[in-house]
Amino acid sequence: MNKITEALIKLFSKHRVIFWYDEKEELTEQYKEVSLDDVTKIHVQGNEFAVKHIINKQNPTGKFLLYFTGDKPASEDNWLLDMELAHQVFHTDQEVMWLQEMGLGYHLKELVTEHMEFFRAKERRLKLKEFLGDGDDYQEIRYKMLAVAFGTENISLVTYIHAHASSFSDGNEKFDKDLERYNLTKYYWSEIKRKYNYTSDIPSIYDFLLEVFNSNFIFGVKNGIAKESRLLLSLWKDTIQFREFFGKVSDKIAIDIDVENKLNQSNIDSLVSDDLFKLIDKKVIHEFVNLIITDGISNDKVLQYVKQRENKYWYGEFESFYQSIVFASQMIALVRKHGDTKYNSFNDGTKDYASNLYEIDLLYRKFIWSYRKSNQNKILADLAIKVEKVYSNDWLLIYNNNWQGVIDNLSSWSNDSATSQKHFYNTHVKPVVDKKQRLFVIISDAFRYECGAELTKKLQSENRYEASISHMVSSLPSYTQLGMASLLPHKELSIQEGSDLVLIDGMSTSGIQGRSKILETNSDARATAIKAEDFMKMNSAKEGRDFVKQYDLIYIYHNRIDKTGDDKTTEEKVFEAVEEEFVFLMDMLKKINNMNGYNMIITSDHGFIYQHNELADSDFSESTHTGEIWKENRRFILGKNLSNDSATKAFKSEQLEIKSGVDVLIPKSINRLRIKGAGSRFIHGGASLQEIVIPLVKITKTRQDTTTQVDIDIIKSTDRITTNILAVSFIQKDTVSEQVLPRSIRAVIRAEDGEELSDQFKYNFDIEEGSERQREVKHRFQLSSKASGKYKNQRVQLVLEEPVEGTSKWKQYQEYYYTLNISFTNDFDDF
């Protein structure tokens, strides 16, 4: 089918009579070839009255193609003019053929002639046709031609600029060449001038962006660019398709306008809200580091400022830096407040540490982890030195020196049935088993108390999980064999002579086989032990469920943290091992649930002390102990007939609830014994609170929802928007808690047709304390010129959206209605 036939078919679908003028008689052959069903062809040659009679009287419903050759008559001489005006003229020149193809009127022929190269490609014509609306004029069609030229789905100058800038950032000049080829360059730049007040004899996308960035940079040159440009940049950063190119352009402009030099004289207060350039984040981080090191900024101000940076463009790239700053600031603040804490009794110390002060060790771990994630960038190096000094000297050393006074006064080790590790089975396991409820006991080696606290918080934020944490006190010495044995059902613990191996009622506690035998023998349940790796290999649906059905009590053992820390070559990665353990344990709990397990306990054999820096000689004790030594470790000595000096605290096995015949020496405070070849930064076995306080996390999987999210509302004092700036106060109605989770929202002002009229505001509402007014967060929305133009006096929505979990999409959360009533004076830029 040729183009003429195709065009005629489309015209006859809407019209009964088609007039075809072929003045130069160039298309006579094509006319003869046309053959359309139910269409009568008539070559009009002086028979106008006969044609009019045939069409109007003889066949008033039929379809007719009237073909004319020779000069077209003037209107006053055209006997068929009334019919021509009532029906349709078929034009066969190229421009008009394209217009007909797109369903556009003949009056737009000059537009096509002006942009012939654009219309030559059928693909471009078809794409433009998709965008066209009824009654589109020259201006609207050209505007939509730009969408085709830039390959965007949005008909928006902002989007065209984003696409153009993104292409430029990759060194691609295609759009510039296309605009020139399609004769759209002049129109494109006139639109940019109209909206942004940009003028240049030789306009270019980079020159325009240079002026936009410069005008909006706090230390830039104000150059007459319209304030609407702020919205251009804001929307660019929030656009999924183009946002990555913002960074490339920003980096280039930062060099060309010498941002680094301008930032040298700035301070953090003036920069905290700006995110035009990556250098701003570097400067802010640099300022944070210096202020924290010199105690020149409060912890509250650090948290406030980092929160302001949280949703800025570059935050994701610098997240580990900001997290390092937050953890460092929080840890230092807590050490300053609690570092010299003293206790009157053993129970007071363990309880206070488990309730409050464990957080210092948690924050230190999180700092080191974040610091390492940043690749230990030199900008954080001095902060890391400060953190290490405060943690080691002002916290670990002073706190445990004070604690040593309590240890020195002990005549026996903890025997409180509620908190003693040796009473774990009878106090916490047996009651569950006696109720005929299946129980899974997960023992993660060296999973110290602060790790358990963080895991509990993670579990409490998981829907349909109930989790609580309490503390236990490990056996002393706090080493693996004794801790693991203490968690099993037993009557008597003993240490095999000449070694550090532990026996339960004469049975070996080593390995899975030994522990399974003890569980089978000493528990009143169908019980077994299994390695975590073997458990995780099972298929949940078949093999796993068959395994679980055989038992009422399953002990599961995992050794990631201790294995990493105890190896001198890997001890510096121990905090990464903790993070990996969190993921592993969460996966394990879900697998247990898939095997019809609903009751779980997570605990540990002992804690640990870890200092990231290499230790000084003063951290090691010179002990002159004598006697028959069975086992000598950095943090404990086992043997017989041992004598000691002031460097160690001595215990008899009876004082530790271990069968008589063993002597135990523990180095005081956090000191290490000099042992050849052993790692020294990761240690355990002693009596520090970090080593002996261990978590007892009880978990139940429920069928009911256990979590909700905080509700967000706004303070709305008016329903009219009268300026291009709308200040909105967002209120977090509840405080975040164990079961009330944070909510992330993004907010934007939209017209009822979906057009976005403002910048986007993104915020994670996670405030944990304070009154409702103290949970107020303000944002000033910048409205586009369309708000006072096309959409003036219309109703608009302030839409709050939240992310759809597991996707990059958003769903509506709340909406609030306003009426636009912006005065024309708001379109003047600071005049």
Side-chain angles (χ1 to χ4, degrees):
M1 184 184 299
N2 60 42
K3 288 185 177 180
I4 289 178
T5 301
E6 189 177 329
L8 286 169
I9 289 172
K10 289 181 180 178
L11 288 172
F12 274 116
S13 68
K14 298 178 181 178
H15 305 280
R16 187 171 77 88
V17 181
I18 305 296
F19 287 71
W20 180 356
Y21 291 97
D22 183 13
E23 296 180 46
K24 298 178 182 180
E25 301 185 34
E26 297 173 327
L27 301 172
T28 303
E29 291 302 317
Q30 286 86 336
Y31 166 72
K32 291 178 180 179
E33 292 173 2
V34 170
S35 177
L36 302 175
D37 294 340
D38 300 323
V39 174
T40 301
K41 293 166 50 180
I42 299 176
H43 189 173
V44 182
Q45 294 175 301
N47 55 343
E48 285 85 354
F49 287 108
V51 169
K52 182 176 285 194
H53 182 74
I54 292 168
I55 293 173
N56 293 326
K57 296 297 183 180
Q58 292 183 7
N59 191 1
T61 61
K63 295 182 178 180
F64 293 87
L65 174 61
L66 307 184
Y67 178 66
F68 301 81
T69 53
D71 294 338
K72 183 179 179 181
S75 295
E76 59 268 22
D77 298 324
N78 187 353
W79 297 103
L80 297 179
L81 181 61
D82 59 333
M83 291 178 59
E84 180 181 320
L85 294 174
H87 296 286
Q88 181 70 21
V89 176
F90 174 52
H91 299 276
T92 53
D93 50 316
Q94 188 65 73
E95 295 96 318
V96 180
M97 289 282 287
W98 289 336
L99 286 169
Q100 289 173 151
E101 176 186 305
M102 293 183 291
L104 294 172
Y106 183 78
H107 66 287
L108 295 167
K109 182 179 177 182
E110 289 183 13
L111 174 71
V112 178
T113 303
E114 186 179 345
H115 305 286
M116 281 290 287
E117 194 60 35
F118 176 90
F119 288 97
R120 287 193 192 282
K122 186 173 184 179
E123 182 183 355
R124 286 193 291 274
R125 297 196 302 273
L126 291 175
K127 189 64 180 176
L128 177 60
K129 186 178 180 180
E130 291 178 15
F131 289 139
L132 294 176
D134 292 339
D136 280 356
D137 59 16
Y138 276 71
Q139 172 78 3
E140 290 164 330
I141 294 173
R142 278 199 186 95
Y143 207 69
K144 292 172 180 178
M145 288 167 64
L146 288 175
V148 177
F150 285 113
T152 69
E153 292 298 323
N154 289 337
I155 302 167
S156 160
L157 183 62
V158 168
T159 306
Y160 306 157
I161 294 169
H162 291 165
H164 196 176
S166 300
S167 177
F168 163 80
S169 72
D170 275 348
N172 191 336
E173 297 179 355
K174 177 182 183 300
F175 288 147
D176 294 295
K177 292 176 181 177
D178 285 349
L179 289 172
E180 194 67 34
R181 192 157 56 100
Y182 305 150
N183 197 23
L184 286 168
T185 301
K186 184 177 179 181
Y187 172 71
Y188 174 60
W189 288 110
S190 70
E191 285 297 290
I192 291 177
K193 177 182 179 181
R194 179 183 62 81
K195 187 163 187 174
Y196 297 108
N197 199 34
Y198 166 71
T199 57
S200 172
D201 293 336
I202 311 174
S204 72
I205 189 63
Y206 185 63
D207 182 64
F208 168 63
L209 292 173
L210 200 75
E211 292 203 18
V212 169
F213 273 80
N214 214 343
S215 179
N216 286 280
F217 178 39
I218 190 171
F219 300 119
V221 177
K222 306 309 174 191
N223 46 32
I225 290 291
K227 62 186 178 183
E228 181 91 1
S229 62
R230 300 175 208 163
L231 190 57
L232 172 71
L233 296 176
S234 176
L235 293 174
W236 191 1
K237 288 179 283 189
D238 289 327
T239 303
I240 293 174
Q241 184 179 1
F242 301 117
R243 72 185 311 272
E244 68 172 289
F245 302 103
F246 173 88
K248 293 183 179 181
V249 172
S250 171
D251 286 345
K252 177 172 173 55
I253 290 174
I255 296 171
D256 290 342
I257 67 173
D258 196 16
V259 168
E260 183 175 356
N261 189 50
K262 293 172 181 176
L263 290 175
N264 279 334
Q265 306 306 316
S266 64
N267 60 51
I268 195 168
D269 299 309
S270 62
L271 295 175
V272 72
S273 297
D274 199 339
D275 68 340
L276 277 185
F277 302 103
K278 186 190 295 186
L279 283 172
I280 292 174
D281 282 86
K282 291 184 175 182
K283 174 66 173 177
V284 168
I285 291 166
H286 178 267
E287 289 294 299
F288 268 136
V289 169
N290 287 338
L291 288 168
I292 293 172
I293 289 173
T294 59
D295 295 322
I297 189 170
S298 70
N299 180 55
D300 287 344
K301 183 61 74 75
V302 170
L303 299 183
Q304 175 192 338
Y305 277 0
V306 172
K307 186 67 179 175
Q308 284 183 250
R309 303 300 298 172
E310 194 175 82
N311 289 303
K312 301 298 183 187
Y313 178 81
W314 305 97
Y315 181 81
E317 187 170 333
F318 291 99
E319 185 173 10
S320 59
F321 292 82
Y322 282 115
Q323 287 183 336
S324 297
I325 286 162
V326 167
F327 295 137
S329 177
Q330 289 180 305
M331 190 211 80
I332 291 168
L334 284 178
V335 172
R336 296 282 184 255
K337 186 175 181 180
H338 300 291
D340 196 28
T341 299
K342 300 180 177 68
Y343 300 113
N344 294 320
S345 71
F346 186 89
N347 286 342
D348 286 348
T350 56
K351 184 178 180 180
D352 185 47
Y353 180 79
S355 300
N356 303 300
L357 300 194
Y358 73 86
E359 194 170 352
I360 294 173
D361 296 299
L362 186 152
L363 290 168
Y364 174 73
R365 171 172 60 81
K366 300 300 279 189
F367 169 80
I368 296 298
W369 178 63
S370 298
Y371 176 50
R372 285 172 62 81
K373 276 175 64 181
S374 74
N375 295 318
Q376 304 191 48
N377 192 289
K378 64 182 181 181
I379 196 171
L380 295 176
D382 289 342
L383 181 61
I385 293 171
K386 168 94 170 183
V387 166
E388 202 66 45
K389 286 181 178 178
V390 171
Y391 181 72
S392 296
N393 300 333
D394 301 342
W395 170 242
L396 280 183
L397 185 59
I398 293 175
Y399 183 62
N400 281 293
N401 281 349
N402 292 342
W403 175 243
Q404 187 61 42
V406 176
I407 299 298
D408 287 342
N409 290 327
L410 290 180
S411 58
S412 64
W413 196 240
S414 172
N415 193 28
D416 182 345
S417 62
T419 59
S420 171
Q421 187 183 46
K422 294 188 182 71
H423 293 276
F424 167 73
Y425 181 85
N426 286 334
T427 303
H428 302 287
V429 177
K430 192 173 186 299
V432 180
V433 174
D434 286 348
K435 292 178 184 176
K436 307 300 181 185
Q437 296 177 349
R438 182 178 290 118
L439 179 64
F440 294 78
V441 176
I442 303 165
I443 303 170
S444 178
D445 202 326
F447 196 67
R448 68 180 179 179
Y449 183 83
E450 54 90 2
C451 302
E454 183 175 350
L455 177 67
T456 303
K457 195 168 184 178
K458 290 177 185 289
L459 284 166
Q460 288 168 342
S461 67
E462 286 277 323
N463 194 26
R464 302 195 175 185
Y465 277 95
E466 292 181 349
S468 63
I469 185 170
S470 56
H471 74 281
M472 294 193 299
V473 176
S474 75
S475 297
L476 197 69
S478 53
Y479 73 105
T480 298
Q481 289 88 336
L482 183 58
M484 292 295 186
S486 299
L487 294 167
L488 291 165
H490 63 272
K491 294 176 183 175
E492 180 184 79
L493 295 175
S494 60
I495 295 176
Q496 186 170 303
E497 188 162 349
S499 73
D500 60 352
L501 299 176
V502 180
L503 305 177
I504 282 181
D505 305 333
M507 295 178 284
S508 171
T509 61
S510 296
I512 292 298
Q513 287 185 333
R515 294 166 190 171
S516 289
K517 181 180 178 182
I518 291 167
L519 284 166
E520 292 167 9
T521 304
N522 286 3
S523 71
D524 297 323
R526 299 179 303 159
T528 191
I530 186 172
K531 287 183 178 179
E533 289 82 1
D534 294 335
F535 182 81
M536 294 298 284
K537 287 176 186 175
M538 293 184 189
N539 176 279
S540 300
K542 176 62 178 164
E543 182 187 2
R545 290 189 181 184
D546 289 344
F547 170 77
V548 167
K549 284 178 185 177
Q550 303 173 66
Y551 303 105
D552 305 310
L553 175 62
I554 300 173
Y555 272 51
I556 304 174
Y557 292 90
H558 197 228
N559 182 23
R560 184 194 307 273
I561 299 170
D562 198 67
K563 183 178 181 181
T564 303
D566 268 343
D567 188 330
K568 189 175 183 179
T569 62
T570 61
E571 65 177 343
E572 68 174 11
K573 298 178 181 178
V574 70
F575 288 159
E576 282 96 324
V578 172
E579 295 294 329
E580 292 166 4
E581 187 71 352
F582 289 146
V583 175
F584 184 82
L585 291 173
M586 295 294 286
D587 288 343
M588 181 185 290
L589 294 174
K590 290 171 183 175
K591 193 174 189 78
I592 288 171
N593 182 237
N594 290 335
M595 295 179 183
N596 296 326
Y598 303 99
N599 299 298
M600 295 142 274
I601 292 177
I602 296 177
T603 189
S604 180
D605 50 349
H606 55 75
F608 64 86
I609 292 174
Y610 177 77
Q611 291 162 267
H612 194 62
N613 280 5
E614 294 293 341
L615 300 174
D617 280 347
S618 59
D619 293 307
F620 294 87
S621 291
E622 297 292 344
S623 175
T624 57
H625 52 273
T626 59
E628 184 183 332
I629 297 172
W630 297 352
K631 173 70 176 182
E632 192 168 22
N633 183 281
R634 292 277 189 206
R635 290 289 286 162
F636 68 94
I637 300 166
L638 296 176
K640 185 182 286 187
N641 300 321
L642 297 181
S643 62
N644 68 308
D645 56 18
S646 60
T648 58
K649 163 71 175 177
F651 289 95
K652 294 291 185 181
S653 55
E654 295 88 340
Q655 294 175 291
L656 304 175
E657 287 195 314
I658 299 172
K659 188 178 179 181
S660 62
V662 183
D663 293 332
V664 177
L665 303 181
I666 303 293
K668 293 188 175 182
S669 187
I670 61 168
N671 289 323
R672 284 87 160 157
L673 297 174
R674 294 187 183 276
I675 304 295
K676 187 177 180 181
S680 58
R681 289 186 282 171
F682 175 90
I683 55 168
H684 61 87
S688 72
L689 288 160
Q690 290 82 359
E691 294 168 283
I692 64 170
V693 178
I694 57 174
L696 177 66
V697 184
K698 294 185 178 181
I699 307 144
T700 304
K701 186 70 166 66
T702 70
R703 289 185 170 86
Q704 290 78 38
D705 290 343
T706 56
T707 61
T708 59
Q709 287 180 283
V710 293
D711 285 321
I712 311 301
D713 202 351
I714 70 167
I715 299 175
K716 189 178 181 186
S717 58
T718 179
D719 60 0
R720 295 170 65 245
I721 300 176
T722 58
T723 72
N724 286 94
I725 299 291
L726 177 65
V728 177
S729 290
F730 295 84
I731 297 291
Q732 180 183 311
K733 298 184 73 174
D734 320 292
T735 54
V736 168
S737 62
E738 293 172 354
Q739 276 75 44
V740 182
L741 308 181
R743 187 189 295 271
S744 293
I745 65 117
R746 74 175 182 186
V748 66
I749 298 170
R750 286 200 187 108
E752 292 194 311
D753 64 4
E755 177 83 22
E756 294 195 356
L757 301 176
S758 75
D759 60 315
Q760 291 183 3
F761 167 63
K762 294 181 180 178
Y763 200 82
N764 181 37
F765 288 90
D766 58 358
I767 304 166
E768 297 181 351
E769 57 186 19
S771 65
E772 191 170 276
R773 269 298 185 182
Q774 290 172 317
R775 300 194 297 273
E776 179 181 344
V777 179
K778 295 181 180 180
H779 180 71
R780 288 163 57 86
F781 287 95
Q782 169 81 45
L783 278 83
S784 71
S785 58
K786 289 182 180 179
S788 57
K790 178 180 178 181
Y791 295 97
K792 186 174 183 180
N793 296 324
Q794 291 190 23
R795 191 172 76 154
V796 296
Q797 299 167 304
L798 171 60
V799 181
L800 275 60
E801 296 176 320
E802 59 184 342
V804 179
E805 188 175 354
T807 74
S808 60
K809 301 187 181 303
W810 295 74
K811 61 183 179 181
Q812 185 165 309
Y813 168 62
Q814 299 276 19
E815 62 182 1
Y816 305 89
Y817 288 91
Y818 294 85
T819 299
L820 288 173
N821 192 15
I822 300 174
S823 169
F824 70 91
T825 58
N826 282 275
D827 291 331
F828 287 83
D829 283 295
D830 305 320
F831 187 71

